[in-house]
C-alpha cells in the first residue's frame, strides 16, 4: 500500500481548485438532507441504515474498485469538500482519510467519524504466511478487516450513529432509533453465525485469496490459512500454495474458498492439485455494479457467506 505523499495531495488540491473554478453544479442532495460521504461498502451500508431518509449517503469507491490500493482522486476531494459528515474505517484501511479531511476542512465540516474506533482489532501478523505487510505495520500491525466480525459491525454502527448525532444534533434521537433497529438485525445475523458454525466436520479454513477473514476465523475458532497477505499486493509464494495443498490433503478437505477481489487463479491451482471444489466468499470491501444493482447489502452478503462457509466446513 502506497501512502499519499504531501506533494501528491497538493497536486490533487490544485486540481480541485481548478475544477471548482468552473463548477456551478448544485449539491446533489435534496433540501435538508445530511450529505454523508463514506469510504468502503460496509460503512456505506451501515450509514444508509442509520441516516435513513434524513441523509444522502455516497460511497467514494467506484463499484468494483479494489479498496486496499485505492488512492484519492480529485473527485474524492470534491465529494469530501461538499460533505457534512465523512465516515471512514480507520487509519489502517484508509491511511489517506484524515490527511484529506484536513485538506478540505471548513468551519468544522465535514464532521469526521472513525467507525472502527473502539472496535476489537486483531494483529495483522496473526498468521498470514510469515509475509510482512508493510502498510499494516505502519498502522501498528492491525488487520483492517474489522467489519467481517459481526460484533465489530455492531460497534461500528454505534460510532456511526454518534457521528450522525454530532453532524445533526436535532435528529440524534432518530439516528439512534435507526441504529437500534439495524443493530437488532445485525445481532440476528451474529446469532445465525454462532449456531450455523457450531457443529462442523472441519474447522480448517483454507482460502486462496488475501488474508481478509481473520476476524471470522477468530470469532468462530477456525484454523485459517490464506494464499495472500493482508493487502494482496504480491503474488503468493509457491511455498504458501504448497502449504494450502498439504493442508487440504492431510486434513482430507473437500473445499477451498476464493474471494471477490482477486483472480481465483491461486485457488484454482490448489483445487486442481487436490481435487477440492471452489467456493466463493465475499470480503465485502466493495461491490460490483451488478451486485449494487441487484440490491446487495452487508446483511445479504454475510448471509451468503454463512451459507458458503456451512457448505465448505460441512456444518450441521
Ligand atoms: Zn482486504
Amino acid at each position: 500500500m502506497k501512502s499519499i505523499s504531501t506533494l501528491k495531495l497538493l497536486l490533487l488540491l490544485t486540481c480541485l481548485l481548478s475544477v471548482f473554478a468552473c463548477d456551478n453544479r448544485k449539491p446533489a442532495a435534496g433540501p435538508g438532507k445530511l450529505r454523508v460521504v463514506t469510504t468502503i461498502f460496509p460503512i456505506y451500508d451501515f450509514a444508509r441504515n442509520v441516516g435513513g431518509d434524513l441523509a444522502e449517503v455516497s460511497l467514494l469507491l467506484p463499484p468494483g474498485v479494489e479498496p486496499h490500493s485505492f488512492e484519492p482522486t480529485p473527485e474524492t476531494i470534491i465529494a469530501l469538500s461538499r460533505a457534512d459528515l465523512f465516515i471512514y474505517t480507520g487509519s489502517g484501511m484508509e491511511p489517506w482519510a484524515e490527511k484529506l479531511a484536513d485538506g478540505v476542512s471548513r468551519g468544522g465540516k465535514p464532521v469526521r467519524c472513525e467507525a472502527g474506533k473502539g472496535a476489537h482489532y486483531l494483529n495483522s501478523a496473526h498468521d498470514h504466511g510469515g509475509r510482512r505487510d508493510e502498510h499494516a505495520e505502519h498502522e501498528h500491525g492491525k488487520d483492517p478487516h474489522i467489519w467481517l466480525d459481526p460484533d465489530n459491525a455492531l460497534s461500528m454502527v454505534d460510532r456511526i450513529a454518534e457521528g450522525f448525532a454530532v453532524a445533526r444534533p436535532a435528529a440524534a434521537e432518530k439516528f439512534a432509533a435507526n441504529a437500534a433497529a439495524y443493530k437488532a438485525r445485525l445481532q440476528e445475523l451474529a446469532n445465525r453465525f454462532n449456531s450455523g458454525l457450531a457443529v462442523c466436520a472441519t474447522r480448517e479454513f483454507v482460502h486462496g485469496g488475501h488474508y481478509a477473514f481473520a476476524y471470522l476465523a477468530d470469532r468462530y475458532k477456525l484454523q485459517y490459512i490464506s494464499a495472500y497477505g493482508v493487502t494482496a499486493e504480491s503474488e503468493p509464494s509457491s511455498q504458501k500454495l504448497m502449504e494450502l495443498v498439504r493442508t487440504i490433503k492431510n486434513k482430507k478437505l473437500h473445499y477451498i474458498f476464493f474471494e471477490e477481489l482477486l483472480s481465483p487463479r491461486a485457488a484454482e491451482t490448489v483445487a486442481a492439485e487436490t481435487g477440492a471444489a471452489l467456493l466463493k466468499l465475499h470480503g465485502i470491501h466493495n461491490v460490483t455494479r451488478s451486485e449494487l444493482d441487484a440490491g446487495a447489502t452487508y446483511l445479504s452478503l454475510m448471509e451468503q457467506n454463512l451459507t458458503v462457509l456451512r457448505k465448505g466446513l460441512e456444518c450441521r
Side-chain angles (χ1 to χ4, degrees):
M1 170 63 74
K2 291 155 291 203
S3 61
I4 186 164
S5 69
T6 307
L7 177 63
K8 189 160 182 196
L9 185 64
L10 284 172
L11 285 170
L12 285 170
L13 286 168
T14 308
C15 292
L16 168 69
L17 290 174
S18 63
V19 171
F20 265 174
C22 54
D23 180 25
N24 297 316
R25 281 177 299 170
K26 295 270 188 297
K33 286 201 179 190
L34 204 59
R35 282 169 298 189
V36 183
V37 168
T38 61
T39 52
I40 59 170
F41 182 77
I43 291 186
Y44 167 72
D45 199 29
F46 298 163
R48 282 194 300 190
N49 280 281
V50 172
D53 54 10
L54 299 181
E56 188 78 39
V57 182
S58 63
L59 175 59
L60 283 179
L61 275 182
V65 166
E66 197 279 300
H68 291 293
S69 55
F70 176 77
E71 293 201 9
T73 63
E75 287 74 24
T76 317
I77 298 176
I78 291 168
L80 215 57
S81 69
R82 289 174 172 158
D84 300 310
L85 173 61
F86 171 48
I87 314 175
Y88 59 103
T89 320
S91 57
M93 190 65 216
E94 306 97 345
W96 45 267
E98 290 180 12
K99 205 183 287 182
L100 208 59
D102 284 343
V104 301
S105 160
R106 61 197 200 285
K109 283 190 176 179
V111 168
R112 279 179 230 180
C113 172
E114 179 187 346
K117 195 171 184 182
H120 162 64
Y121 271 92
L122 290 175
N123 194 331
S124 66
H126 195 56
D127 167 27
H128 58 93
R131 242 173 32 77
R132 286 153 62 87
D133 185 83
E134 290 186 5
H135 151 60
E137 283 189 352
H138 283 308
E139 305 305 329
H140 318 293
K142 300 300 182 201
D143 181 337
H145 302 96
I146 52 172
W147 61 90
L148 290 168
D149 176 343
D151 283 358
N152 273 339
L154 291 167
S155 148
M156 293 169 80
V157 171
D158 282 335
R159 293 296 85 70
I160 289 170
E162 288 164 13
F164 271 90
V166 172
R168 181 158 295 172
E173 280 185 25
K174 172 77 173 150
F175 296 137
N178 289 348
Y182 184 62
K183 279 172 64 185
R185 298 176 66 197
L186 287 174
Q187 188 61 60
E188 286 167 18
L189 174 81
N191 295 346
R192 279 195 292 279
F193 265 84
N194 283 331
S195 56
L197 299 178
V199 185
C200 307
T202 180
R203 305 207 82 77
E204 299 287 335
F205 176 13
V206 179
H207 180 218
H210 78 290
Y211 196 75
F213 295 97
Y215 288 92
L216 269 179
D218 184 65
R219 176 72 57 193
Y220 303 105
K221 308 280 180 282
L222 307 175
Q223 299 300 315
Y224 177 43
I225 53 171
S226 67
Y228 297 76
V230 171
T231 60
E233 285 212 327
S234 58
E235 289 297 303
S237 65
S238 53
Q239 293 94 315
K240 195 70 205 174
L241 292 181
M242 280 314 296
E243 187 189 341
L244 268 56
V245 166
R246 273 198 310 274
T247 303
I248 288 174
K249 286 184 174 170
N250 292 346
K251 307 283 181 180
K252 299 183 168 51
L253 305 179
H254 301 127
Y255 297 96
I256 176 168
F257 299 92
F258 69 103
E259 67 169 55
E260 85 286 9
L261 284 182
L262 294 171
S263 144
R265 198 155 42 83
E268 284 167 358
T269 303
V270 175
E273 186 68 29
T274 58
L278 291 159
L279 288 174
K280 182 176 172 179
L281 270 184
H282 205 304
I284 325 184
H285 305 66
N286 196 5
V287 293
T288 62
R289 170 53 66 190
S290 62
E291 286 169 332
L292 205 58
D293 291 346
T297 65
Y298 173 83
L299 286 167
S300 72
L301 295 170
M302 285 296 275
E303 288 289 354
Q304 278 175 34
N305 280 347
L306 177 57
T307 302
V308 168
L309 278 166
R310 281 176 50 75
K311 180 172 184 184
L313 303 175
E314 304 180 50
C315 306
R316 279 200 273 128

